[in-house]
Amino acid sequence: MWLVDIIAVILIIAGAVTYAGFFFYGVAIKRAPKKFLSQTPDLKVETPVAGASWGEGQEWVTRQSFKNIDILSHEGLKLRGYLLTSERAAGRTAIIAHGYSGKGKDMGACAKLYYENLGYNVLIPDARGHGESAGNYIGFGWPERRDYLQWIQYVIEETGQEAQIVLHGVSMGGATVLMTSGEALPPQVKAIVSDCAYTSVKEQLSYQLRRMYRLPSFPFVHSASLVTRLKAGYFFGEASALKQVRKAKVPILFIHGDTDTFVPYTMLDKLFEACPSPKEKFIVPQAGHGLAYDTDKAGYVSRVSSFVVRYVV
């Protein structure tokens, strides 16, 4: 009889963990409105990187004549990007990655910086599962790293072999460009700017699980990771900006606000120390998540500009 009881308990626990895996997949990974973001106390706004100055950037976007660009991912997903060309560009282009649950045109402030201050072309893609791009899941930057290789190739084909490219991302976009940094990048990619990136999907989701649900990482993150592998094609453990940045050869500027508790500020040092390529660190005092630009606009523009012009002629 006791054996039957033990089996029953095991089956109940296994069922609960499996249910939790599907539940957390639906909350964090599945393409759907992320209502929990607006209920998170350390995010002042509904989505990361949508503060007052990002709104200013969004207003700037509406006044520009962006060209819609479509490419196909290696699995056949149609991905949408928005291209704005500058007469001053001379082959220089910034590809800008948005944050979790956002869209390309949320990145108007960054686009304005590169277009108006530096005279670059700007390309702002919608990540898979976001905006006008296809996909029913969020990749947290891992499958997107391959998408960015394709966006890079698109720019080279359009601009020519003399193209010079900067990758700039914020939040999930910051992790995306760091994950891209570990790939075999063409020589046209000259610099990367990563703003408030997380070290890995596993570490970030484990952190949020503790904060939001008071639950340990094991076995819930592992169960959700397995569901994600089945539905989206990747495990959380492999989606690591930290592992990728260890292979980086391109210069990287790391940015983080020192009061960011959504993506912990402590992740900055781990990423920075792991990077073997030329690197700089820009810490913005009193800046929360995705609010480095909003908190110190002049400093942000100055540091980003001085960094990229060192590597882009």
Side-chain angles (χ1 to χ4, degrees), residues 274-289:
C275 178
S277 63
K279 57 190 175 183
E280 289 185 18
K281 184 189 300 184
F282 178 41
I283 300 168
V284 181
Q286 302 303 309
H289 185 65

Side-chain angles (χ1 to χ4, degrees), residues 54 79 85 195 234 245 293 303:
W54 299 105
L79 304 176
T85 57
D195 185 341
Y234 69 95
V245 82
Y293 180 99
R303 286 298 297 272

